[in-house]
Amino acid sequence: MHRNHIAGPKLERRLVDMVRSSSNLMAALTTVRSLGLTSWCIGAGAVRSLVWDTLHGFETPSVLEDVDVVYFDSETDGPEQDTRLEERLRSLMPALQWEVTNQAAVHHWFASHLRQVVPPLGSLERRRVDVA
C-alpha cells in the first residue's frame, strides 16, 4: 500500500491546521467565500508557500501577494465573469493580486494559447477538504 494513502487523513489534518493558523490565507478564503460561488478553491501557490514556510520552520511567513482562485461554472464559459470576480475581490482585499479562472472554460485556453485539444472538465472537485 502506498505510504501517502496510509498517512492521508493525518496529512490532511496537518494541512487544515496550517491553513487555519494563517490569518492571511484565512482572510483570503473568507473573501472568496463571500462571492457565493458554488464550487471554488484557492490555487496551489498560496497553499504551497504556507506549507513550505511551515515545514522549513520560517518564523516570518512568505508574503501572500497573489492568489489564484479557480472555480467551476458550466453556465458561464467566457472570461468576462472571471474579470468581474477579480474586480470584486480587488475591491474587498486590494492588497492582493487576484487571478480568477473558470475551470469549465480552461479547455478553450489550452486550444487558443497552446494549440492543444483537451476535453472540457466536468467539475472542479476530486475530493474536498473543508478548512473553515
Side-chain angles (χ1 to χ4, degrees), residues 97-115:
Q97 177 63 39
W98 297 95
E99 184 174 326
V100 179
T101 306
N102 183 0
Q103 296 298 290
V106 78
H107 61 285
H108 296 304
W109 184 87
F110 272 91
S112 66
H113 288 80
L114 302 177
R115 306 270 190 254

Side-chain angles (χ1 to χ4, degrees), residues 60-121:
T60 304
S62 298
V63 176
L64 183 62
E65 293 177 351
D66 68 311
V67 179
D68 298 314
V69 177
V70 295
Y71 70 103
F72 189 88
D73 182 353
S74 61
E75 301 297 315
T76 305
D77 73 356
E80 299 81 17
Q81 180 167 320
D82 296 351
T83 301
R84 283 192 301 274
L85 292 170
E86 285 175 8
E87 289 169 355
R88 285 181 57 198
L89 290 168
R90 272 194 291 278
S91 73
L92 295 168
M93 245 181 130
L96 297 179
Q97 177 63 39
W98 297 95
E99 184 174 326
V100 179
T101 306
N102 183 0
Q103 296 298 290
V106 78
H107 61 285
H108 296 304
W109 184 87
F110 272 91
S112 66
H113 288 80
L114 302 177
R115 306 270 190 254
Q116 292 182 6
V117 176
V118 297
L121 296 175

Side-chain angles (χ1 to χ4, degrees), residues 23-76:
S23 59
N24 292 334
L25 189 51
M26 288 301 295
L29 286 165
T30 300
T31 302
V32 177
R33 179 178 279 165
S34 74
L35 298 176
L37 300 168
T38 57
S39 179
W40 63 273
C41 67
I42 285 183
V47 177
R48 181 204 61 235
S49 294
L50 173 65
V51 171
W52 181 268
D53 292 349
T54 303
L55 293 180
H56 290 280
F58 296 157
E59 290 187 26
T60 304
S62 298
V63 176
L64 183 62
E65 293 177 351
D66 68 311
V67 179
D68 298 314
V69 177
V70 295
Y71 70 103
F72 189 88
D73 182 353
S74 61
E75 301 297 315
T76 305

